[in-house]
Amino acid sequence: MVIMVDSEFHEFYKKSVEERLRILKHAAGLTDEEIGVLRSSAIGMDVADRMIENVVGTCELPMGLGLNFMVNGKDVIVPMCLEEPSVVAAASFAAKLARPSGGFRTSSDEPIMIGQVQILGFKNAKTAKDAIIRNKKKIIAQANERDSVLVSFGGGAKDLEVREIDSEIGKMIVVHLFVDVRDAMGANAVNTMCEAISPVLEELTGGHARLKIISNLADRRLARAKATWKKEDLEKSTKGLMKGSDVINAILEAYHLAVNDHYRCATHNKGIMNGIDAVVIATGNDFRAVEAGAHAYACVSGKYKPLTRYYKDKNGDLVGEIELPIAIGTVGGATRTKPEARIALKILGVKTSKELAEIMAAVGLAQNFAALRALATEGIQRGHMSLHAKNIAVIAGAKGDEIDKVSAKMIEEKNISVSRAKELLKNR
Ligand code: NAD
C-alpha cells in the first residue's frame, strides 16, 4: 500500500517545534520513540530553531580527536566530526608518522574573499569598465561603509577588478570586489557589500546589476601544508613487511594515477576532504563552501588535478604538500551559535581564521597520505573493517556487548555482511 504524504504544511515555519513534531508524527506515521529521537538534542531545540527553518530535530555526528598533530612546532588536538569509520584513526596515524621529521609546516594567504557583481545591459563594455576603474576608491569606500566592525579589525574591501565575459546571451561585465574578511568565512559580509555597491555600479555603467554574491572559488585565500615521511618510519609502519623505499615508490605510483586520471583523482581529493570537512563541521563552518572551493581549485588549470603533490627528497624520504582554498571562520556563521563548535575551537586553541585554515590543510594532507599509504601497502579495507563490522552488526540488530562479539567474529571469518551478522545473532 502506498501512503500518500502531504508535504504542504501550511505556515509550518511559524509553528513551535512541538507543533511541528505533532504534524510530522501524523503525516509520516512516526512512533513516539522516533519522535523522542528527533526531540533529543545536544545543541538544544531552541538553538536549532534559531539556525534554520522548519526545525523538527537535530542530527548528531560523533566528534573524535585527531591526535599526534604537530603544526609549525606546536602540538594541536584536532576535533573531527563525521560518520565514516577509520578517518580519525588514519589522520592520527599519519600525523604520528610525520612527527620524527617535525610534523607539518603550514602557511596561508591573507583572508581575501571575492565578491562578484554581474552587470548587463550597458552600451559599451570598455566605457563601462573604465568608469568603474576611475571610481574604484569611491566604490570601495561605499562597500566599507556597510561593515565598520570588519574594518575596525583591519579588514574590509581592499581592491576591485573588472572582467569582461562573452556569453551565449551577449557581453557581461563582472566586478570582483576583494574583501579582507579577517576571522570570518565572509559570505554574509561580502554579499552585503556587493549589494551595497550595485547602485553605484549601475549608475556608472548605465547597465543593471543582476547577481551580487561571493565566489566560493576563494583562490586568494589559499592554505598550504607540507610534511616529510621518512623511509625508515614507513618501513616500521609495515612491521618490516615492506622496505621503506618500496612503500614510497608505491605511494608515488598511486599519486601519479591521480595526476593522470580524473576517476582516481576524484577519490584522491575525496580522501583529502574526509579530513578537512570533519574539522570544518566540528568548528561549525560551511563545508559546502569549502568543498566547492576545493574542487573548483582542483580544476583551475582546465584539468581536474590532485590538491596534494608528492615527491622524494634528496634522502629518498617522501615529501607531501597540499594547497587549496579554505574559506572558514572563527567568528560568524554557526561558529559561535553551535556550542560544540565553540568547544572545538577552544580544543584547537586557534584564534584566527588563518591558523584554523592551516590546521585544516595539515589534516587534509595527513588524511591523503594515510589513504595512499594504506592503499599502497595493506589495502584500504583492513583499517576500515573493524568499525565497519560494528556498523554492520548494529544494522543486523545487535545491541550492547553483542555488537563487539558479532563484529569480532565476522572479522575473524573475513565475512562482514548483514546476513552473516543476522545468522550469528540468531545462533547466540
Ligand atoms: P557573519 O555575517 O555571521 O559574521 C561576519 C561578521 O562578523 C563580519 O562582517 C564582522 O562584522 C563581524 N566580525 C566580528 N569580529 C570579526 C573578526 N575578528 N573578523 C571578521 N569579522 C568579524 O558571517 P560571514 O562569515 O560573513 O558569513 C558566513 C555564513 O554565510 C556561513 O554561515 C555561510 O554558510 C553563509 N553563506 C555562504 C554562502 C556561500 O558560501 N556561497 C552564501 C551565503 C551565505
Side-chain angles (χ1 to χ4, degrees):
M1 188 182 71
V2 180
I3 300 172
M4 298 300 289
V5 177
D6 179 8
S7 71
E8 284 186 292
F9 301 151
H10 182 61
E11 297 193 328
F12 196 63
Y13 69 100
K14 286 189 180 166
K15 309 218 181 297
S16 70
V17 173
E18 280 308 312
E19 282 171 319
R20 286 184 209 137
L21 281 171
R22 258 197 308 278
I23 295 168
L24 178 67
K25 183 172 187 246
H26 176 71
L30 299 185
T31 64
D32 285 341
E33 199 182 324
E34 285 161 342
I35 291 292
V37 172
L38 288 177
R39 202 183 270 128
S40 66
S41 155
I43 67 171
M45 279 302 201
D46 49 338
V47 175
D49 200 27
R50 283 195 299 271
M51 289 175 74
I52 63 164
E53 309 76 32
N54 295 346
V55 165
V56 292
T58 58
C59 177
E60 291 177 28
L61 284 172
M63 182 189 283
L65 294 183
L67 299 177
N68 310 315
F69 275 87
M70 190 188 279
V71 181
N72 301 327
K74 227 178 95 188
D75 271 84
V76 187
I77 302 167
V78 186
M80 300 173 76
C81 287
L82 81 167
E83 81 300 341
E84 187 175 340
S86 298
V87 170
V88 176
S92 304
F93 184 56
K96 189 173 190 170
L97 283 177
R99 281 181 85 92
S101 39
F104 299 85
R105 291 271 148 208
T106 64
S107 66
S108 56
D109 299 335
E110 290 306 307
I112 304 288
M113 296 300 288
I114 302 169
Q116 295 193 299
V117 182
Q118 176 197 28
I119 301 169
L120 305 119
F122 43 83
K123 279 214 177 73
N124 178 294
K126 173 144 185 1
T127 321
K129 274 168 75 175
D130 289 349
I132 297 170
I133 298 296
R134 263 200 320 275
N135 288 279
K136 196 166 157 168
K137 269 199 177 144
K138 178 177 154 190
I139 300 165
I140 290 171
Q142 281 204 356
N144 283 332
E145 273 171 24
R146 300 311 297 256
D147 204 332
S148 55
V149 176
L150 185 56
V151 173
S152 75
F153 283 107
K158 300 287 180 189
D159 200 358
L160 63 74
E161 72 177 12
V162 190
R163 297 169 59 220
E164 210 178 301
I165 292 179
D166 284 315
S167 83
E168 300 74 4
I169 55 161
K171 243 186 216 323
M172 306 173 184
I173 285 177
V174 178
V175 177
H176 277 190
L177 185 67
F178 300 117
V179 185
D180 183 327
V181 297
R182 292 290 88 200
D183 300 316
M185 180 268 177
N188 287 327
V190 171
N191 294 347
T192 306
M193 288 186 178
C194 287
E195 289 187 3
I197 63 170
S198 290
V200 67
L201 292 175
E202 289 183 335
E203 205 179 291
L204 289 168
T205 60
H208 57 269
R210 183 68 68 207
L211 299 189
K212 305 133 196 165
I213 183 133
I214 198 160
S215 166
N216 285 112
L217 176 51
D219 61 357
R220 298 199 169 209
R221 197 181 186 178
L222 302 177
R224 303 169 197 86
K226 181 175 180 177
T228 301
W229 286 277
K230 292 186 182 177
K231 50 184 181 309
E232 56 269 27
D233 296 317
L234 292 177
E235 182 160 329
K236 270 189 241 152
S237 80
T238 69
K239 305 211 164 46
L241 288 175
M242 273 175 89
K243 275 171 60 184
S245 56
D246 289 344
V247 176
I248 291 175
N249 287 336
I251 289 174
L252 290 174
E253 284 165 4
Y255 163 63
H256 282 284
L257 177 59
V259 174
N260 291 285
D261 176 53
H262 50 273
Y263 285 95
R264 169 60 203 154
C265 193
T267 319
H268 181 101
N269 286 342
K270 189 273 181 183
I272 294 171
M273 301 316 290
N274 271 345
I276 294 179
D277 280 342
V279 191
V280 173
I281 293 170
T283 53
N285 274 290
D286 182 339
F287 57 94
R288 288 87 54 209
V290 176
E291 280 281 335
H295 294 288
Y297 189 66
C299 34
V300 278
S301 67
K303 206 169 167 240
Y304 187 67
K305 290 283 186 189
L307 295 163
T308 49
R309 191 165 85 88
Y310 291 90
Y311 55 92
K312 276 189 224 178
D313 67 9
K314 59 181 182 339
N315 301 321
D317 294 329
L318 182 73
V319 182
E321 293 176 357
I322 187 168
E323 180 184 80
L324 76 163
I326 302 188
I328 45 76
T330 53
V331 298
T335 58
R336 300 292 165 106
T337 40
K338 279 183 85 196
E340 337 76 285
R342 285 200 299 272
I343 297 168
L345 287 170
K346 190 168 176 185
I347 296 171
L348 282 156
V350 290
K351 293 275 178 289
T352 67
S353 65
K354 266 166 78 66
E355 286 174 272
L356 179 56
E358 290 181 24
I359 291 172
M360 289 175 180
V363 175
L365 177 60
Q367 207 70 61
N368 182 230
F369 163 82
L372 291 180
R373 195 207 70 91
L375 283 167
T377 56
E378 73 254 24
I380 206 81
Q381 284 308 78
R382 208 186 96 186
H384 260 76
M385 275 308 133
S386 87
L387 282 171
H388 175 61
K390 287 187 189 175
N391 285 338
I392 294 290
V394 172
I395 292 168
K399 294 212 165 57
D401 68 345
E402 285 172 349
I403 300 170
D404 282 342
K405 288 186 178 140
V406 169
S407 60
K409 186 76 184 148
M410 289 193 293
I411 291 167
E412 185 194 312
E413 295 175 353
K414 295 196 172 68
N415 179 6
I416 301 168
S417 63
V418 176
S419 55
R420 182 61 188 143
K422 281 189 172 157
E423 275 168 24
L424 290 168
L425 283 169
K426 214 157 84 191
N427 299 337
R428 278 171 60 80

